[in-house]
Amino acid sequence: MTVDQIKQKLKEKEYSFLRENEKLKDHIILLALGGSYAYGIEKEDSDLDIRGIALNQKNEILLRTDFEQVVDLHTDTTIYSFYKMIQLLKSNNPNTIEILGCKPEHYLYLSEIGKELYQNRNMFLSKLCIHTFAGYAGSQLRRMENKAARLMTQTQRENYILKSIQNARYDFKTRYFPCEEDQIQLYIDSAVQEGYDSEIFMDLQLRHYPLRDWAGMWNEMKAIVSSYHKMGKRNENAISHNKLGKHMAHLIRLYMMCIDILEKEEIITYRLEEKDLLMKIRNGAYLDQNRQPTSDFYDLLNEYEKRFEYAKNHTSLPDLPDYKRIDAFQMEVCERIVKKG
């Protein structure tokens, strides 16, 4: 489907909610392609995903309320409120920061405020992307991991579990009572459990620490470990619907996108230079006759992980987004809305 065809499709009845919903209508500032179309890896049967942003209205600004998002499941459309989107962009959320890196023609609508947001997109970029993108990449890896048991050793799986936990721990300090890094040390050593070659161990040096905060952290870490053992049925379903290649392509794409942010300080959602490689992965070029990822795919993944490690250690990005500039932009937009009435 071409961009012109998509624009015509948005005029049809099934998308009438964009023009009739009171939260949307004249308040939309940005509409863009999402999903496979946005990444440049769509196929003939790919679903059409639409993503967008709508301004909060005067009453919401003054009363400090927020509709957060409008979702239409039938058309795979999600329109975020301006407030909600700003918070997600501040956190360098991969699923939303990509909305500011689309090809120019993939923006189906941009108001003046939408253009200003796009032009100021670099104020959101920070080292937070290291942990958010790595976390999303880890979840993609877990979706396909059990399918490749014969290609991945138990020790390798244990390393991926540890990586996922370390990424999750990054924001523990903002949600739980603080503790020094050396007070909770996680590492891999020779296993004591029967049937394991190696396993994750922990050294704790916590004193006078709130029990409920420790229980929260423990439950999050436990959930990550458990997730590696609950993917069986989902993986079988993915194989039967030929979705494994798609998960593999998205895993590599996440690394590509984050490396660009770290090295070039640019959000590049549409992967023009790597399109052929990503389509090969999606179409099954890295799956064997049993529909499992080949060792070549893991070599490729390892290559991108090394590039990611180098980029994160040499990036010039700030530790945190430019909160002062973001807040000034948000206040200025809200002031314009209130004055307009």
Side-chain angles (χ1 to χ4, degrees):
M1 197 182 309
T2 66
V3 174
D4 287 338
Q5 289 172 327
I6 291 170
K7 287 181 177 179
Q8 286 300 314
K9 190 172 180 63
L10 294 189
K11 296 177 182 178
E12 296 176 3
K13 186 177 180 179
E14 63 180 333
Y15 287 94
S16 61
F17 65 92
L18 293 173
R19 298 175 288 276
E20 297 171 0
N21 187 298
E22 291 298 326
K23 301 294 184 184
L24 309 180
K25 295 175 67 172
D26 301 329
H27 308 294
I28 293 175
I29 61 170
L30 181 153
L31 278 180
L33 294 180
S36 296
Y37 279 93
Y39 311 137
I41 58 172
E42 77 278 5
K43 299 171 75 173
E44 288 186 7
D45 58 349
S46 290
D47 294 330
L48 175 62
D49 298 312
I50 302 296
R51 298 291 177 263
I53 308 170
L55 293 175
N56 294 88
Q57 299 175 46
K58 178 179 177 179
N59 65 312
E60 291 179 312
I61 294 170
L62 296 177
L63 296 174
R64 297 182 180 181
T65 59
D66 185 17
F67 69 88
E68 294 199 351
Q69 61 194 44
V70 173
V71 179
D72 184 80
L73 297 176
H74 175 67
T75 59
D76 280 329
T77 299
T78 301
I79 310 296
Y80 295 93
S81 73
F82 180 69
Y83 277 176
K84 179 73 171 180
M85 178 56 75
I86 291 293
Q87 294 305 312
L88 291 169
L89 292 173
K90 279 183 180 180
S91 69
N92 282 216
N93 179 288
N95 280 347
T96 49
I97 205 165
E98 65 188 29
I99 203 171
L100 297 181
C102 297
K103 288 177 69 176
E105 58 266 38
H106 285 176
Y107 288 102
L108 309 172
Y109 174 73
L110 271 179
S111 71
E112 284 305 310
I113 293 176
K115 290 175 184 176
E116 291 171 27
L117 178 64
Y118 175 79
Q119 290 163 356
N120 287 282
R121 60 194 179 278
N122 65 327
M123 65 185 173
F124 297 105
L125 301 183
S126 75
K127 290 179 182 176
L128 289 177
C129 73
I130 293 169
H131 307 279
T132 56
F133 273 80
Y136 271 66
S139 69
Q140 284 289 336
L141 182 64
R142 292 197 298 274
R143 291 183 185 185
M144 51 165 274
E145 201 166 45
N146 287 344
K147 308 177 194 69
R150 65 182 180 78
L151 293 175
M152 183 178 285
T153 67
Q154 184 270 321
T155 297
Q156 287 175 311
R157 286 197 298 276
E158 204 75 356
N159 273 286
Y160 280 117
I161 294 173
L162 180 58
K163 269 189 188 178
S164 297
I165 293 174
Q166 298 289 24
N167 287 324
R169 283 185 62 194
Y170 181 75
D171 69 340
F172 278 7
K173 57 190 174 187
T174 65
R175 296 187 289 114
Y176 297 113
F177 192 81
C179 65
E180 297 299 324
E181 284 211 14
D182 61 359
Q183 290 181 286
I184 304 177
Q185 293 190 33
L186 301 176
Y187 56 92
I188 292 177
D189 205 344
S190 299
V192 297
Q193 288 200 59
E194 188 176 347
Y196 280 63
D197 297 318
S198 63
E199 62 179 304
I200 300 170
F201 289 85
M202 61 192 306
D203 293 338
L204 297 179
Q205 299 179 19
L206 294 176
R207 298 178 65 86
H208 199 68
Y209 194 83
L211 174 64
R212 289 175 180 81
D213 282 38
W214 168 245
M217 290 193 293
W218 171 252
N219 284 329
E220 288 194 44
M221 291 188 285
K222 181 181 177 182
I224 291 172
V225 174
S226 298
S227 70
Y228 276 80
H229 303 290
K230 292 182 178 178
M231 292 293 175
K233 277 194 174 179
R234 197 179 303 170
N235 289 334
E236 290 173 12
N237 184 60
I239 289 176
S240 64
H241 290 82
N242 294 318
K243 291 184 179 179
L244 181 52
K246 183 177 179 181
H247 290 318
M248 293 162 63
H250 282 312
L251 172 58
I252 299 298
R253 178 192 60 79
L254 283 165
Y255 278 114
M256 291 173 173
M257 193 171 172
C258 192
I259 290 167
D260 281 337
I261 292 174
L262 293 169
E263 293 182 346
K264 304 175 184 177
E265 299 188 13
E266 292 182 22
I267 307 167
I268 304 175
T269 304
Y270 190 88
R271 309 308 308 182
L272 179 62
E273 292 183 11
E274 305 95 349
K275 182 181 176 73
D276 290 344
L277 171 61
L278 290 173
M279 287 304 295
K280 279 178 64 178
I281 298 171
R282 177 165 189 176
N283 290 330
Y286 287 85
L287 293 172
D288 63 19
Q289 65 270 25
N290 296 317
R291 305 297 294 168
Q292 292 192 339
T294 64
S295 55
D296 286 344
F297 175 76
Y298 282 99
D299 290 341
L300 181 66
L301 176 59
N302 185 53
E303 177 187 329
Y304 273 98
E305 285 180 332
K306 287 179 180 177
R307 287 180 57 188
F308 170 73
E309 288 294 321
Y310 181 86
K312 82 176 188 182
N313 291 325
H314 294 83
T315 185
S316 58
L317 282 176
D319 290 336
L320 297 170
D322 191 341
Y323 291 131
K324 187 175 181 180
R325 185 175 159 199
I326 295 168
D327 290 345
F329 175 76
Q330 185 173 358
M331 286 190 293
E332 196 271 336
V333 169
C334 290
E335 186 178 7
R336 284 154 67 179
I337 296 170
V338 172
K339 284 183 175 179
K340 184 178 179 182

